């Protein structure tokens, strides 16, 4: 789908990158990216040094909105347990959309396999932010080992995201129930 309108060439490139890389993977060529964005290759290379930088910038730009859709807001009431469960409820809701392909940050990490790739650095930071949010809520909720629980929650989140994104699993409350069991075992009220 071509991106047009009054958006700047940079914004059009980032919008197209977010869509194409998420839908088709990071192997999308520069020509396809530029064609979709309605931007010349020359313009792309004036704005970014490489396609890798476009991918990293598109993930970085996407991170705040992705987190805002998953996480309860800072002023939202709720116990730490409810705040953790909220993330999984939102993930389950998102997974029912036909265009859902899983967590874009996990997908980039899995596809790239290079921890030093600029997009891997951005994606890893997004995953670490979510894990830290889980850890903080687990600590507030009285978990026996908040860091371990946060790691376990990430495994559930990433596993559910990958399976639902690959259309192997319909989550239908599965992740929420799994997380309830983890929270109970960890002593989170």
């Amino acid at each position: 789908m071509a991106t047009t309108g009054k958006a700047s060439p940079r914004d059009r490139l980032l919008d197209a990158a977010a869509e194409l890389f998420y839908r088709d993977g990071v192997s999308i060529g520069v020509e396809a990216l530029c064609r979709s964005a309605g931007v010349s290759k020359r313009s792309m290379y004036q704005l970014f040094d490489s396609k890798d930088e476009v991918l990293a910038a598109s993930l970085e730009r996407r991170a705040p909105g992705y987190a805002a859709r998953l996480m309860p807001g800072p002023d939202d009431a709720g116990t730490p347990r409810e705040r953790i469960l909220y993330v999984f409820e939102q993930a389950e809701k998102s997974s029912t959309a036909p265009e859902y392909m899983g967590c874009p940050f996990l997908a980039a990490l899995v596809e790239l396999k290079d921890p030093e790739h600029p997009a891997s650095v951005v994606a890893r930071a997004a995953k670490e932010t979510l894990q830290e949010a889980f850890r903080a809520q687990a600590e507030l909720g009285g978990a026996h080992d908040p860091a371990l629980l946060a790691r376990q929650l990430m495994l559930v989140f990433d596993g559910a995201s990958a399976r639902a994104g690959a259309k192997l699993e319909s989550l239908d409350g599965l992740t929420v129930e799994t997380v309830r069991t983890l929270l109970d075992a960890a002593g989170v009220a």
Side-chain angles (χ1 to χ4, degrees):
M1 175 163 116
T3 304
T4 59
K6 298 184 188 224
S8 71
R10 184 180 197 284
D11 286 340
R12 293 195 322 261
L13 273 167
L14 294 176
D15 289 344
E19 179 183 337
L20 292 173
F21 292 140
Y22 183 65
R23 186 187 68 211
D24 300 329
V26 299
S27 63
I28 289 297
V30 170
E31 286 190 28
L33 173 61
C34 291
R35 184 173 42 254
S36 181
V39 173
S40 70
K41 286 195 314 187
R42 180 175 183 221
S43 292
M44 187 199 94
Y45 285 115
Q46 288 174 336
L47 294 165
F48 298 96
D49 288 337
S50 65
K51 183 183 88 168
D52 293 348
E53 284 191 15
V54 176
L55 173 58
S58 73
L59 287 173
E60 190 167 39
R61 186 170 129 185
R62 184 177 198 162
Y66 185 79
R69 282 190 299 281
L70 281 178
M71 305 295 289
D75 297 329
D76 290 340
T79 65
R81 179 186 185 95
E82 291 167 339
R83 294 174 69 77
I84 291 169
L85 287 168
Y86 180 89
V87 173
F88 290 91
E89 291 163 357
Q90 296 309 305
E92 285 188 4
K93 285 179 190 173
S94 296
S95 74
T96 62
E99 67 277 3
Y100 183 78
M101 308 286 287
C103 172
F105 304 100
L106 178 63
L109 287 166
V110 169
E111 251 191 286
L112 292 169
K113 298 184 183 21
D114 175 4
E116 302 306 317
H117 189 286
S120 292
V121 172
V122 171
R124 190 171 47 257
K127 302 307 282 180
E128 288 168 355
T129 297
L130 180 58
Q131 184 168 329
E132 176 52 27
F134 286 149
R135 191 211 55 76
Q137 290 303 309
E139 185 175 334
L140 288 172
H144 307 302
D145 186 343
L148 176 61
L149 178 58
R151 291 175 56 214
Q152 292 169 324
L153 293 170
M154 288 304 297
L155 285 173
V156 173
F157 183 89
D158 287 343
S161 171
R163 291 187 61 79
K167 310 298 184 219
L168 297 173
E169 189 78 55
S170 172
L171 300 181
D172 298 328
L174 181 62
T175 57
V176 171
E177 195 54 41
T178 302
V179 169
R180 278 193 184 107
T181 302
L182 281 172
L183 295 173
D184 288 345
V188 175

